[in-house]
Amino acid sequence: MVNLWTPDSAPLRGAGRQVGAGSGRWAWHRNGDDGARRTMAQRGEGPDFIEALARGLKVITVFHADQPRLSLSEVAAAAGLARPTARRFLLTLEELGYVRADAGGYELTPRVLELGMAYVGALSLWDIARPHMQDLVAATGESSSMAQLDGSDIVYMARVAVPKIIALRVQIGTRFPAAVTSQGKVLLAALDPDALTTTLAQPSRSGVQPRIRHARPALDAMLREVRARGWALADDELAPGIRSVAVPIRDGQGEVRAAMNVTVNSAETSVKTLVEQHLPQLIRAASAISADWARWQSRPQVEVGGGGALDAVTAAQR
């Protein structure tokens, strides 16, 4: 399998005495007459596990919307720590600006958002799409790609492939004429009439001579059908043996920003199988990517001022 991304490791979750074999994270214990309470595992999975860091992060995570302010005793109980230990962690977090103390107890400060913003701010659509594409390829056993429109071509921006022989080599940055690809049809169908005319007037820079060329009236009819049903099919149009189906990827405003497909060898997979079996899975994956991307776009915008202090948090949408 050729995968242009390194697969992510899924977090282990569970309940009961042990949470995942060898996970070394959190477990449920019964502690004398105090009843069941959640406590921290004493050490992690490997020799480099830093228990103090894990405990400090746990102290942050015990705060939640229903209980934004906690006493020292409540923090200690929720984190499974002795009161003196919990107090040291809280004082450290307070000095760093992540926790504030008042007469009612402790609460998190907005600066905690900084811990996630470095990750969130570095995400792109392709990072968000990657795990969904990997799951789709695992489920279908077929390759999946994502592309955007550039002039009258599509350009491949992401791909998870399986080792099958196809007529054309595809990699990140590969260009194909949009009108003869399933992804291209999805992207062209999203354009208004003037933009479509302008786009199709641009010469292809792909260097690929498609097997079939669609006259404008026939292409317009195809694109009307794509708009009506929400997906596009390309069957041996780009090159012999290449059959694919594609659906749109939308942003938080519902605009089509990319297209994602499943590609099969037409000698192995019929149109019926592609549409009836693979298309529903593709639609689910694309819907999940669009939803995740919309959430990413609407993330809180954090402005960090002098000395790394958090100056402002706004809910402005990107």
Side-chain angles (χ1 to χ4, degrees):
M1 177 176 183
V2 178
N3 191 336
L4 297 179
W5 287 306
T6 301
D8 291 333
S9 299
L12 294 174
R13 292 176 182 164
R17 177 81 182 175
Q18 185 175 354
V19 186
S23 65
R25 299 298 189 266
W26 305 96
W28 288 93
H29 298 277
R30 183 162 296 279
N31 195 8
D33 295 331
D34 294 335
R37 70 184 180 94
R38 202 179 187 196
T39 61
M40 174 175 281
Q42 292 304 303
R43 61 189 180 86
E45 187 175 346
D48 296 324
F49 182 83
I50 302 175
E51 183 181 339
L53 176 59
R55 290 185 174 188
L57 292 173
K58 179 59 182 174
V59 167
I60 291 176
T61 63
V62 300
F63 295 89
H64 52 83
D66 295 334
Q67 286 188 300
R69 182 178 287 105
L70 298 171
S71 67
L72 172 59
S73 296
E74 289 170 332
V75 171
L81 299 172
R83 278 172 54 93
T85 302
R87 179 176 177 274
R88 289 196 299 272
F89 280 120
L90 286 167
L91 291 175
T92 300
L93 291 170
E94 183 180 10
E95 186 172 340
L96 293 172
Y98 296 115
V99 169
R100 68 167 61 96
D102 58 25
Y106 296 88
E107 63 181 5
L108 299 180
T109 72
R111 187 172 186 180
V112 170
L113 290 174
E114 290 181 1
L115 298 175
M117 285 304 112
Y119 166 72
V120 173
L123 281 177
S124 69
L125 172 58
W126 325 121
D127 298 310
I128 293 167
R130 175 181 58 194
H132 298 291
M133 294 179 69
Q134 291 170 337
D135 289 344
L136 175 65
V137 169
T140 62
E142 303 290 352
S143 299
S144 178
S145 303
M146 191 177 291
Q148 286 187 309
L149 201 60
D150 183 21
S152 61
D153 294 333
I154 60 167
V155 180
Y156 281 73
M157 308 300 293
R159 180 168 172 80
V160 179
V162 295
K164 292 192 175 184
I165 298 175
I166 61 173
L168 295 173
R169 177 179 175 84
V170 178
Q171 58 189 7
I172 301 301
T174 294
R175 308 175 70 94
F176 289 136
V180 290
T181 67
S182 60
Q183 292 167 296
K185 291 176 186 178
V186 165
L187 296 168
L188 292 173
L191 301 177
D192 62 47
D194 290 341
L196 177 61
T197 298
T198 300
T199 297
L200 293 176
Q202 300 181 50
S204 172
R205 292 186 284 142
S206 67
V208 175
Q209 295 298 322
R211 181 171 178 264
I212 296 175
R213 293 183 180 273
H214 298 299
R216 180 62 188 268
L219 179 60
D220 286 342
M222 288 182 191
L223 298 182
R224 284 195 296 270
E225 185 176 4
V226 171
R227 293 187 198 101
R229 67 188 182 186
W231 54 272
L233 178 72
D235 189 9
D236 286 351
E237 296 171 41
L238 180 62
I242 298 178
R243 178 175 289 155
S244 67
V245 65
V247 297
I249 301 295
R250 300 180 184 273
D251 64 14
Q253 288 71 49
E255 299 293 328
V256 176
R257 298 300 184 188
M260 177 174 162
N261 76 352
V262 170
T263 302
V264 300
N265 186 318
S266 58
E268 299 176 353
T269 305
S270 66
V271 171
K272 179 180 176 67
T273 297
L274 182 61
V275 172
E276 293 184 0
Q277 296 184 21
H278 297 336
L279 176 59
Q281 298 180 82
L282 173 62
I283 291 173
R284 285 193 291 271
S287 297
I289 292 169
S290 296
D292 285 352
W293 194 23
R295 283 189 286 269
W296 177 81
Q297 288 180 308
S298 63
R299 72 197 187 281
Q301 302 294 302
V302 177
E303 297 177 7
V304 181
L310 183 65
D311 293 331
V313 180
T314 66
Q317 184 169 343
R318 180 171 179 173

